Amino acid sequence: MVTAVPSPSLRAPARPRFPAVRHLGPNWYGSVMGTAAVGSAGGALPVHVPGLRTVCTAVWCLSLALLAVLLAARALHWVHHRDQARAHLLDPAAAPFYGCLAMALLAVGGGALSVGRDWIGASPALALDAVLFTAGTAVGLVAAVAVPYLMAVHHRIEPHQATPVWLLPVVAPMVSAALGPALVAHLPAGQARQTLLLGCVAMFGLSLLATLALLPLVLGRLLIAGPLPLALTPTLFLVLGPLGQSTTAAGAFADAAPGALPASYGSAFTAFAVLYGVPVMGFAVLWFAFAAAQVVRAGRRGMGFAMTWWSFTFPVGTCVTGASALARHTHLAVYEGLAVALYAVLVVAWAAAAVHTARGLVSGALLAAPRPAPAEPRPARARTTSGAVR
């Protein structure tokens, strides 16, 4: 008796390994960025709060652990779910989040040198920061070129699809610009220090000009096409990232220049830190109010939790460090107060995002296949005989 062997085409498809990480996208690095921001921003505050530095160090350790776990999970995603990984790259809504990998590496590395050294030691902290800064800068520069290239050549994008998420790849070099100066003093005097510092200045310009090119598209989309879908409304806070981070970078240049560049350049960078930072932080406060009003509106219309809530954390953290830099260089109490107030917002936002993320992981909802978010209908408008819209 001969047993028939089923045709290969009739066999059930093999079950993919590690199904839990199939839909684990690069946006998850936002949780690492937000957690690291709580530690680094708290350590940079211009006021002393008893016990705060210890808490910040503990939070930084949590960010380091999250980074290690997420890197491993994303590696499994790429090995066992390459079709989904390629789909993320070809999705204009997901591809910009690849900039978050670079910023997560940089944020954890910078936190090692600012607060992590209290627990792991100065030398290990320096080594960790050097490795993560190098890797994060390389990934960030690649993302700043590759993601816009994909968007221009392979993606099919309509004007109404513009969102602040587009800023993520080009903001990554600004994070390098802000955190690199802390390593300058650890290099040999002369060419090495000057090269790193001026390289950070170059990345500052790269990121700033790219942001200035993209930001009008985002604002124009809001004015012409109306509010973002409810789930994407928190991403409005991403605009604060390049604003706060560039102010932080300008202050870091002023701090590092005296030991790396001639005295005249040091004075110029000190003046630039104030002349650039004050108006930019002014616009950041304006955008904070605008974005917060949009979030309140979305909340009243039923906005639920999504991973976009992590947009409330890292960008606000950059404004904390930016205000702290201005407080350091202007000695004005108003910037000290601004830094403390923004840090309080950061802590509350981080706690809310972390609790909801933990619940979503336990329930499995956050690792399930995503469902498209319905766009909010625009209110009906009537046109008068004069042509005005009301």
Side-chain angles (χ1 to χ4, degrees):
M1 180 176 180
V2 179
T3 303
V5 178
S7 171
S9 60
L10 299 179
R11 293 176 181 173
R15 184 178 180 182
R17 300 183 65 186
F18 303 102
V21 301
R22 176 167 178 77
H23 300 287
L24 186 72
N27 59 319
W28 277 79
Y29 286 112
S31 62
V32 178
M33 296 157 55
T35 304
V38 173
S40 298
L45 284 177
V47 297
H48 174 69
V49 179
L52 177 61
R53 188 172 178 88
T54 301
V55 174
C56 290
T57 305
V59 174
W60 172 81
C61 289
L62 176 60
S63 72
L64 178 62
L66 288 175
L67 177 63
V69 170
L70 194 52
L71 286 174
R74 285 286 295 165
L76 292 174
H77 172 85
W78 268 96
V79 171
H80 297 286
H81 302 282
R82 293 181 183 177
D83 61 324
Q84 189 66 23
R86 287 192 294 267
H88 287 157
L89 283 173
L90 297 178
D91 183 355
F97 283 101
Y98 274 90
C100 292
L101 167 59
M103 291 187 282
L105 295 170
L106 292 164
V108 174
L113 205 57
S114 61
V115 294
R117 58 187 172 89
D118 292 355
W119 286 8
I120 67 174
S123 295
L126 177 60
L128 180 60
D129 187 20
V131 170
L132 294 181
F133 175 80
T134 302
T137 298
V139 173
L141 291 174
V142 170
V145 176
V147 175
Y149 174 84
L150 287 173
M151 295 175 70
V153 175
H154 293 285
H155 298 164
R156 295 297 177 262
I157 303 173
E158 299 294 333
H160 69 274
Q161 294 177 302
T163 71
V165 172
W166 288 8
L167 297 172
L168 288 173
V170 300
V171 172
M174 185 65 79
V175 181
S176 295
L179 297 178
L183 293 169
V184 169
H186 299 279
L187 294 176
Q191 288 279 335
R193 291 186 181 183
Q194 293 178 10
T195 299
L196 177 57
L197 181 56
L198 293 182
C200 291
V201 176
M203 288 187 286
F204 172 95
L206 178 161
S207 181
L208 179 63
L209 294 177
T211 298
L212 293 177
L214 291 174
L215 190 55
L217 300 178
V218 175
L219 182 57
R221 179 255 180 266
L222 292 173
L223 297 179
I224 296 173
L228 295 174
L230 297 182
L232 289 177
T233 302
T235 64
L236 289 170
F237 276 77
L238 293 176
V239 176
L240 296 175
L243 303 176
Q245 201 67 273
S246 61
T247 304
T248 303
F253 298 157
D255 295 335
L261 300 173
S264 59
Y265 288 95
S267 301
F269 274 117
T270 300
F272 177 72
V274 176
L275 295 178
Y276 173 85
V278 170
V280 169
M281 282 302 297
F283 180 69
V285 172
L286 170 67
W287 190 270
F288 182 96
F290 172 75
Q294 294 272 349
V295 169
V296 171
R297 175 187 177 278
R300 291 176 176 175
R301 284 162 173 76
M303 180 187 71
F305 173 74
M307 288 299 289
T308 52
W309 277 34
W310 286 99
S311 303
F312 296 140
T313 58
F314 187 77
V316 175
T318 68
C319 290
V320 173
T321 55
S324 298
L326 285 176
R328 189 166 64 250
H329 290 286
T330 64
H331 307 289
L332 293 177
V334 64
Y335 288 113
E336 294 182 0
L338 179 62
V340 172
L342 289 174
Y343 188 70
V345 173
L346 169 62
V347 171
V348 172
W350 175 81
V355 169
H356 282 85
T357 301
R359 289 177 179 173
L361 283 173
V362 172
S363 67
L366 289 179
L367 295 177
R371 292 177 296 178
E376 182 183 0
R378 295 204 62 183
R381 294 185 177 184
R383 188 172 295 275
T384 67
T385 55
S386 64
V389 176
R390 63 179 182 179

